[in-house]
Amino acid sequence: MKNLLAITLGTRDIQIRLSALNNGNWLHEAINVKHTKIEDLQLPGYMPPGFNDTFCFSQPRIAGKLMVQNYQTIIPTLHFPLLQPVVDFLLNKKIAIDNILLLCTNQEEGFNAGLVKPKDFQNDTLYFAEIVSRYLQEYLLLPKLQVEIYRVTREVTNMDYLYTHFAREGSHFFSIDPEEIDKIYLLPQGGIDHINQAFTLKLIQHFGEKVMQLQQAEGVEPKQLNFPRLFLNDLYRQRRLQHLHDFEFGLLAESIPKGYKELAVAKKLANWANLKLHLNFKELKPALQGLEHKIEPAFLQWLYEESIDTPMERLKALWVMCHIQYLQGNISDLIWRLFTIAENLFKVMLEQLLGWPDTKDYYKSIAKGATNTKWEEFLGEENRKILQSEGVYIDNPNRYTYKTLFFYHYTQNMTESSDEYGNYLQVAEAIELMARLRNQLAHKMRPVDLEDINNVLSELNIKLLELLEIIKKLLSIKNNQFTIIIQHRIYPFLNK
Amino acid sequence: MFNYFVATVGKRDVQINRNKINENHLSLIYDGKNWYIKETVSGDIIEIDAPGNNMSDPGENHYTVKKPRIGGKIILKNDLLFSVCEFPIISPVLEKIFSAGKNIKEIKLVYTDQEDEGYRDGDTLYFSTIITKYIEDTFNIPVDEFAVWRSPADIDKQYADFRHKKSLENINLLPNNEEVNEIYLLAQGGIDQINFALTLRLIENYREKLIYYQKPEKGVVCLRDFPFHFIKNLTRNQTIELIKNWEFKGAQQLLASATLKTLCEFASLNIELNYIEAEKLSQDDRIKEIPFIAKYFEEVSKLTDSQFRQLILSISLLHDYYKGEPNNLLWKLRTLGEIILLPEVEEFLGLSNINYNQYDFTTAVEAKIDNGRSLIEYLLTKNEYKIKKELEKGKLTDDYNLLQLIYNFKYIANPSAKKNATEKMRIALMELRELRNELIHKGYFVTLKELENAFHLKKYTIESVQKHIELYINSIGVTTETLQVIKLSQSFCIDMLNEDNW
């Protein structure tokens, strides 16, 4: 991953340090610094108010050209009061800079056509860019190819032109694949405000949150600004809130870039919820790594507890996803989840009723009629008899096995007719009815919609939502289940 | 819905008309070092920038005030000085807006009034009041003023503050978005960071409703489009991301292009197996000319119903693989197997119109067998020797092995059929069709890795299954291009969106 540095150059980006002129070859006059042995090397400029050791150039074009021609002579006297601290700041943070873009102006064409004022023409920074380029290549040991000079040649205050210009004029910088880039450090302080703004916007648009804007005032430490990320966060806030509202945790997590500290917790929580909704229990605990000290211990503890992989937790998570898909009107994806609930509901209920462990490993892919000794032994004589008396195979666990055993044991322990029993019966019947849907999907290939499901369920006088509510009750799913809790936890991050 | 105008006030927003000096009791004074304008009745005097100084020359017709705080305060209370003030940046912009037939409900001015003594001379608080007076007198539009007190060069702070900034009268800088029809912005006065922060805040808040103006000192008022394109580009980036992640439905909501919207709809319908609605798009002018879409509909029109179902399931199934949805892929694979294999069952058994709307098809087959015979009994009547042999092996007991039996029969009769691409695909589907049940019994969720492992145990890879499907689909007269229609739609959308990079 590359780190890029982009700098817009201004007229004060290169200065002479007057104390460095004391080798006898230089003469500083009020508005000039000149070399005593090189006749033409006269640099017009001024000492900015409040600075005793600094000489700025009043005509960067002329001064810059002379400095390019006499680079080795002048370089020991130069300093870069904005660039140098920024480059050192990055180096101190162990950030290796791979590519540099120097943005400068060259309004020669407009000047020759009489469209650019002489003063503006003289303020062009094209030669400053050459000096800075050469200096940074040497300072950072960068190959020449990795430092690009980008010249704005006209319309320097036209925001529309500038905004499009950067991407259209074939800059190598903009052709670097964003996927290859870790961060782009931007120092847009030099020169013309419009160039700075347009360039900043273009970078934000092109590279998003990877843009790290730096601010450097002369004589103080560089400061990293947050507004590009704040701005993008504001822009994306509504969409992210919508994802959150719709329980689209996957999309929400994806919409938050890696390394975005302010939303890192929100990203992790969204990712965790997404994994759980997709029953990817193996990944749940690893997904919580890095949340220590960022959320309160009790909440972290709750997340770990919710990450425990049990058949009941899976069934609950399946139900939650079904319910979300119902709310989203995503019936085609809801169906296979509902089938999976149907296939597993009585298994889980039976395991819970009889205190059995998860019996999934007793399933063996064997031909019917073959013996699954482990399963038969596990069932025990009583259960085998119950199943056989009902004509249910005992070779492998299946939904008939679980349903039969569940109802037998449940009614054995039931003292009087209860609503719960009625619910179980209704769900059992609904499951059989729902099975038709899968085949309808498979064989008729008709897209199944809510109406189809409700039509099938009309035999039981219930609708899909009621069925989901019954299952919810049977599974003891709280209203405040994990997606709601995560939703509430993420909301404040997004709405900051 | 109303229109609003927002401007930042800078040092050059109030200028003094040169041609009106020496009238109205005003005179220009030079003391050998600095320049002043004196109002001779009251004796008020304001310092101005040196005429002809390149750094501050506003043009041939105006003087600029050197220290806006002091100068502005004097101008404000001196009618004569006020009467020679002009507003060469803000005034033409307002006139341009009015000449376009737009009304403005309210004008909002942002000025500086800093706490830091070192910078107070340049503050524009009084300039803002001068402009307010001018606007209210001239245009009769209410003006609210908003102060920046601290850190005007700290763009982070300014950007954050503008969100909830209020005037001294407790009026919000940012009007409620729902009430805004258009909001005009002139952000070139004063401090760059304030201008940029305000621009960003207004882009963020009002998006396409923001109309950005620029007024070069000597040029005409220009309307700039970059905020619109900036938002459009950001939306485009998000759309591309969604499409890259196969989220065609999400992308549909963001797309402005009717063609791409319809193409995303087409892709979604295929993914959702909604071939009824997908087919309706065959006559849609927006997409029917796209070559791969034209080809899709041309090829589909030649298919039987059953083949069309096979195709659309295959298309959707491949999408599930690209997107990494192994569970969806599994049940579609199973369903595809059934659609393709069940006609074989019917043919083998010599039965037709079996009602497969049952949970397992052995029951469905048995329902078709007359005289209450079991399937086994019925099969024995078809080929006693083979069936007995299979029964002895204990294999002929459930639906899975019924299919196995049928295939055994077929390949015994015609061993070379196994080498046929179509048959290979059928064998693969047959061998994989129960995979979902096996995996689901081990847990309710299958990861891609687990799926790959399960395929591997059956001597397949996802790629080889994909290849089988491709060859099979080719064998029913459909090209790989049509099978890959989701992928092609994805590339098409991304290419089109990338081309439109303003």
Side-chain angles (χ1 to χ4, degrees):
Chain A
M1 296 288 269
K2 291 178 175 172
N3 288 309
L4 279 53
L5 173 64
I7 302 167
T8 61
L9 291 170
T11 57
R12 286 178 62 157
D13 274 315
I14 301 180
Q15 301 176 4
I16 288 176
R17 196 181 291 285
L18 294 172
S19 55
L21 298 177
N22 58 5
N23 65 357
N25 290 332
W26 293 97
L27 193 60
H28 171 222
E29 295 167 344
I31 54 164
N32 259 315
V33 164
K34 60 183 177 188
H35 197 272
T36 52
K37 292 176 185 159
I38 304 171
E39 198 182 335
D40 295 335
L41 190 49
Q42 273 196 46
L43 304 164
Y46 59 96
M47 282 177 67
F51 293 86
N52 298 324
D53 192 28
T54 295
F55 183 84
C56 295
F57 302 103
S58 55
Q59 295 180 317
R61 177 179 278 273
I62 292 171
K65 192 171 183 178
L66 283 168
M67 289 193 285
V68 168
Q69 288 162 352
N70 297 278
Y71 180 81
Q72 293 300 350
T73 309
I74 191 88
I75 194 70
T77 74
L78 297 183
H79 78 122
F80 308 90
L82 300 178
L83 316 179
Q84 188 75 54
V86 163
V87 170
D88 291 340
F89 170 79
L90 296 175
L91 292 178
N92 287 339
K93 288 187 158 223
K94 310 270 184 245
I95 296 164
I97 301 162
D98 300 292
N99 287 70
I100 295 177
L101 178 72
L102 300 171
L103 214 77
C104 63
T105 55
N106 178 15
Q107 303 171 85
E108 191 167 5
E109 205 182 307
F111 175 71
N112 290 337
L115 301 170
V116 172
K117 286 193 273 189
K119 178 170 174 45
D120 294 337
F121 174 65
Q122 286 304 340
N123 274 338
D124 278 342
T125 48
L126 70 162
Y127 296 112
F128 274 23
E130 286 187 36
I131 292 160
V132 171
S133 165
R134 194 164 163 189
Y135 172 72
L136 290 180
Q137 280 172 52
E138 290 167 1
Y139 189 70
L140 297 169
L141 303 173
L142 279 177
K144 194 174 179 182
L145 277 176
Q146 284 168 234
V147 183
E148 182 185 352
I149 295 176
Y150 196 94
R151 295 171 185 86
V152 180
T153 56
R154 62 192 182 94
E155 308 254 21
V156 295
T157 60
N158 180 344
M159 289 287 283
D160 278 3
Y161 171 78
L162 292 166
Y163 178 71
T164 53
H165 180 76
F166 298 121
R168 281 191 181 162
E169 302 289 313
S171 162
H172 169 67
F173 198 77
F174 281 95
S175 67
I176 299 173
D177 183 353
E179 302 275 318
E180 290 176 20
I181 295 173
D182 183 25
K183 296 276 186 314
I184 296 169
Y185 297 92
L186 167 67
L187 184 67
Q189 286 177 223
I192 299 165
D193 295 347
H194 306 84
I195 294 179
N196 293 334
Q197 288 189 15
F199 185 59
T200 304
L201 285 177
K202 196 70 203 174
L203 280 182
I204 291 174
Q205 180 259 308
H206 202 80
F207 299 107
E209 283 90 345
K210 293 181 174 181
V211 178
M212 301 283 139
Q213 184 161 337
L214 300 165
Q215 185 170 292
Q216 175 65 60
E218 286 181 40
V220 296
E221 277 286 291
K223 182 182 169 195
Q224 188 170 310
L225 299 172
N226 290 316
F227 84 90
R229 289 213 261 184
L230 295 174
F231 171 65
L232 286 170
N233 189 35
D234 287 340
L235 272 180
Y236 296 149
R237 179 185 290 118
Q238 286 314 318
R239 188 146 299 126
R240 286 180 181 146
L241 284 170
Q242 193 60 48
H243 289 327
L244 186 66
H245 175 265
D246 296 342
F247 302 101
E248 292 282 10
F249 291 106
L251 287 177
L252 174 60
E254 264 177 38
S255 79
I256 301 169
K258 277 181 198 164
Y260 188 177
K261 282 185 189 165
E262 290 83 350
L263 291 184
V265 171
K267 184 180 174 77
K268 274 194 167 285
L269 292 177
N271 183 45
W272 180 87
N274 186 50
L275 289 169
K276 183 155 180 175
L277 281 175
H278 288 87
L279 306 181
N280 200 345
F281 275 75
K282 275 182 202 161
E283 301 294 326
L284 285 181
K285 284 180 187 169
L288 297 175
Q289 280 168 15
L291 280 175
E292 304 82 9
H293 314 300
K294 289 180 181 160
I295 54 175
E296 65 269 40
F299 179 46
L300 187 63
Q301 177 66 24
W302 175 84
L303 285 165
Y304 273 106
E305 283 163 12
E306 286 281 317
S307 302
I308 295 169
D309 188 1
T310 67
M312 182 54 99
E313 275 303 310
R314 282 176 173 254
L315 212 52
K316 285 181 178 180
L318 252 179
W319 181 90
V320 172
M321 189 58 160
C322 264
H323 191 248
I324 289 171
Q325 287 174 333
Y326 176 85
L327 297 175
Q328 292 173 342
N330 183 0
I331 302 300
S332 57
D333 278 348
L334 178 151
I335 280 177
W336 79 256
R337 285 188 165 81
L338 208 54
F339 294 149
T340 312
I341 289 181
E343 283 165 1
N344 289 280
L345 182 71
F346 288 106
K347 168 184 178 286
V348 175
M349 301 310 295
L350 178 69
E351 286 167 355
Q352 190 168 277
L353 185 70
L354 298 183
W356 281 4
D358 185 356
T359 53
K360 70 174 194 231
D361 291 335
Y362 287 101
Y363 180 85
K364 269 191 176 174
S365 183
I366 54 164
K368 235 176 247 175
T371 312
N372 182 348
T373 318
K374 274 190 178 175
W375 173 239
E376 288 183 18
E377 280 174 8
F378 177 80
L379 280 173
E381 195 180 344
E382 186 196 359
N383 287 326
R384 285 200 303 270
K385 275 185 183 166
I386 295 162
L387 292 172
Q388 281 162 337
S389 69
E390 293 288 328
V392 178
Y393 294 121
I394 56 167
D395 58 349
N396 247 332
N398 61 42
R399 69 190 172 93
Y400 298 112
T401 320
Y402 292 119
K403 190 174 83 174
T404 307
L405 289 177
F406 174 79
F407 276 105
Y408 175 82
H409 290 289
Y410 185 85
T411 48
Q412 288 292 302
N413 298 322
M414 194 173 68
T415 48
E416 57 191 56
S417 175
S418 68
D419 285 352
E420 198 179 51
Y421 180 65
N423 285 339
Y424 281 128
L425 281 177
Q426 204 166 19
V427 168
E429 287 180 59
I431 285 171
E432 294 309 315
L433 288 169
M434 296 297 293
R436 286 188 198 168
L437 280 176
R438 198 196 76 84
N439 290 298
Q440 188 179 53
L441 198 68
H443 306 302
K444 293 202 170 175
M445 277 297 295
R446 201 177 132 235
V448 176
D449 57 23
L450 183 61
E451 203 184 332
D452 292 325
I453 298 182
N454 284 337
N455 280 341
V456 170
L457 292 175
S458 65
E459 284 183 32
L460 295 173
N461 249 343
I462 57 167
K463 294 191 167 169
L464 176 61
L465 187 59
E466 291 166 271
L467 175 65
L468 287 174
E469 287 301 319
I470 293 169
I471 297 173
K472 181 184 173 191
K473 216 168 160 185
L474 294 178
L475 295 176
S476 306
I477 296 171
K478 294 174 192 161
N479 284 334
N480 198 24
Q481 31 78 13
F482 75 94
T483 46
I484 305 288
I485 291 170
I486 295 295
Q487 197 182 41
H488 287 175
R489 287 284 180 159
I490 291 176
Y491 182 78
F493 288 104
L494 300 186
N495 208 33
K496 258 181 196 168
Chain B
M1 301 278 270
F2 304 102
N3 300 326
Y4 294 83
F5 178 84
V6 181
T8 51
V9 180
K11 175 178 157 68
R12 295 156 83 88
D13 278 307
V14 175
Q15 299 185 11
I16 293 166
N17 187 330
R18 245 181 219 217
N19 302 320
K20 290 185 181 170
I21 305 299
N22 301 325
E23 303 168 13
N24 302 322
H25 306 286
L26 298 171
S27 58
L28 184 67
I29 296 169
Y30 178 58
D31 66 0
K33 191 178 173 192
N34 297 314
W35 293 80
Y36 304 90
I37 290 171
K38 185 174 182 181
E39 190 268 286
T40 51
V41 179
S42 65
D44 282 346
I45 190 161
I46 53 171
E47 189 178 353
I48 57 166
D49 291 311
N53 178 344
N54 266 340
M55 293 296 284
S56 57
D57 180 15
E60 291 166 4
N61 299 320
H62 294 95
Y63 296 122
T64 48
V65 178
K66 193 161 186 179
K67 294 175 179 172
R69 176 181 283 274
I70 302 163
K73 193 173 182 180
I74 294 168
I75 292 170
L76 198 57
K77 61 178 186 182
N78 188 312
D79 289 343
L80 281 171
L81 282 168
F82 182 83
S83 69
V84 294
C85 284
E86 291 186 352
F87 313 92
I89 299 172
I90 207 165
S91 184
V93 176
L94 286 171
E95 279 158 16
K96 174 106 180 170
I97 294 167
F98 296 135
S99 68
K102 313 266 188 184
N103 295 316
I104 294 172
K105 189 195 180 200
E106 230 168 84
I107 290 176
K108 290 157 188 286
L109 300 177
V110 177
Y111 63 88
T112 55
D113 179 14
Q114 298 174 75
E115 292 168 344
D116 189 332
E117 284 293 334
Y119 298 102
R120 283 167 67 85
D121 281 355
D123 281 342
T124 53
L125 71 162
Y126 295 113
F127 273 20
S128 175
T129 315
I130 291 167
I131 296 169
T132 299
K133 194 174 166 194
Y134 156 72
I135 290 171
E136 287 179 345
D137 290 352
T138 314
F139 303 107
N140 194 25
I141 298 172
V143 180
D144 301 312
E145 298 173 73
F146 301 86
V148 172
W149 288 289
R150 282 176 289 275
S151 313
D154 183 342
I155 195 165
D156 277 3
K157 178 174 168 40
Q158 295 311 323
Y159 176 71
D161 283 359
F162 282 137
R163 189 172 177 192
H164 300 297
K165 196 170 243 345
K166 289 181 185 293
S167 68
L168 294 173
E169 292 77 27
N170 210 31
I171 291 166
N172 290 324
L173 169 64
L174 305 182
N176 188 341
N177 200 343
E178 284 156 16
E179 291 174 14
V180 175
N181 175 43
E182 287 181 340
I183 189 156
Y184 312 110
L185 173 64
L186 179 65
Q188 60 187 74
I191 297 165
D192 183 33
Q193 285 86 345
I194 291 180
N195 291 328
F196 196 30
L198 185 63
T199 304
L200 291 177
R201 184 50 83 192
L202 264 64
I203 288 176
E204 182 267 313
N205 223 49
Y206 303 105
R207 301 180 186 231
E208 307 69 26
K209 293 178 180 179
L210 174 65
I211 314 288
Y212 186 96
Y213 284 98
Q214 264 189 299
K215 167 68 179 77
E217 199 102 40
K218 288 181 180 172
V220 294
V221 177
C222 305
L223 202 148
R224 301 299 186 202
D225 286 337
F226 76 89
F228 168 76
H229 291 284
F230 176 66
I231 289 290
K232 198 175 122 191
N233 288 345
L234 282 175
T235 309
R236 189 204 58 200
N237 295 350
Q238 285 180 289
T239 315
I240 289 175
E241 277 307 303
L242 285 169
I243 294 174
K244 274 186 184 169
N245 290 323
W246 311 94
E247 296 286 351
F248 292 99
K249 260 195 168 166
Q252 240 176 292
Q253 294 164 12
L254 298 181
L255 281 163
S257 152
T259 301
L260 298 188
K261 235 180 174 43
T262 313
L263 191 57
C264 284
E265 186 189 351
F266 169 82
S268 294
L269 291 169
N270 273 277
I271 292 163
E272 291 167 3
L273 308 173
N274 195 339
Y275 70 99
I276 297 171
E277 293 301 318
E279 203 169 21
K280 286 181 189 165
L281 294 174
S282 65
Q283 293 311 311
D284 193 298
D285 289 338
R286 290 163 296 193
I287 60 166
K288 71 178 187 188
E289 303 298 333
I290 299 172
F292 64 87
I293 295 291
K295 195 170 196 175
Y296 170 97
F297 284 117
E298 189 202 328
E299 291 181 356
V300 155
S301 71
K302 293 174 189 160
L303 298 179
T304 63
D305 262 11
S306 169
Q307 286 172 330
F308 187 19
R309 288 178 228 148
Q310 292 164 21
L311 171 66
I312 206 160
L313 252 178
S314 304
I315 289 171
S316 185
L317 185 152
L318 287 186
H319 158 267
D320 292 335
Y321 168 54
Y322 301 141
K323 201 183 169 191
E325 298 264 13
N327 295 282
N328 284 357
L329 187 153
L330 265 176
W331 81 254
K332 284 178 192 165
L333 197 63
R334 179 187 160 97
T335 307
L336 180 64
E338 289 180 0
I339 291 174
I340 294 175
L341 299 172
L342 292 179
E344 304 284 326
V345 176
E346 294 187 346
E347 190 192 338
F348 173 74
L349 296 172
L351 299 170
S352 59
N353 299 322
I354 299 174
N355 177 12
Y356 292 113
N357 266 357
Q358 301 291 329
Y359 194 64
D360 69 74
F361 69 82
T362 305
T363 316
V365 172
E366 282 178 343
K368 283 293 283 188
I369 298 167
D370 54 357
N371 300 329
R373 284 179 295 180
S374 74
L375 178 60
I376 302 292
E377 286 168 338
Y378 181 76
L379 287 172
L380 284 167
T381 66
K382 304 291 283 182
N383 189 325
E384 192 175 347
Y385 172 73
K386 282 281 172 198
I387 299 299
K388 274 188 176 165
K389 211 163 180 187
E390 293 298 324
L391 281 169
E392 281 162 15
K393 286 183 198 163
K395 284 186 176 176
L396 186 56
T397 49
D398 65 7
D399 54 13
Y400 173 79
N401 292 299
L402 173 63
L403 285 168
Q404 185 72 52
L405 178 80
I406 292 162
Y407 272 84
N408 285 347
F409 275 124
K410 278 185 71 166
Y411 300 126
I412 288 165
N414 180 14
S416 63
K418 268 190 174 178
K419 293 174 186 165
N420 179 302
T422 310
E423 294 308 321
K424 280 184 178 174
M425 147 77 174
R426 293 179 184 205
I427 294 167
L429 284 176
M430 188 181 68
E431 291 180 350
L432 297 172
R433 65 178 292 276
E434 282 299 305
L435 204 55
R436 177 182 174 272
N437 282 357
E438 286 175 30
L439 289 169
I440 293 300
H441 273 286
K442 299 284 177 194
Y444 314 155
F445 179 85
V446 181
T447 64
L448 206 55
K449 188 78 196 154
E450 285 166 338
L451 181 68
E452 279 167 347
N453 290 342
F455 274 17
H456 185 69
L457 285 176
K458 293 188 183 281
K459 297 189 175 135
Y460 290 98
T461 61
I462 290 185
E463 288 71 26
S464 69
V465 173
Q466 198 177 324
K467 192 72 196 163
H468 283 309
I469 292 173
E470 185 184 336
L471 290 173
Y472 175 73
I473 291 297
N474 293 160
S475 77
I476 61 170
V478 176
T479 55
T480 303
E481 201 178 350
T482 292
L483 180 65
Q484 301 275 12
V485 73
I486 304 288
K487 216 174 195 177
L488 292 172
S489 300
Q490 184 197 51
S491 310
F492 185 88
C493 287
I494 291 172
D495 289 349
M496 292 287 283
L497 286 165
N498 276 330
E499 262 180 34
D500 183 27
N501 189 1
W502 193 83

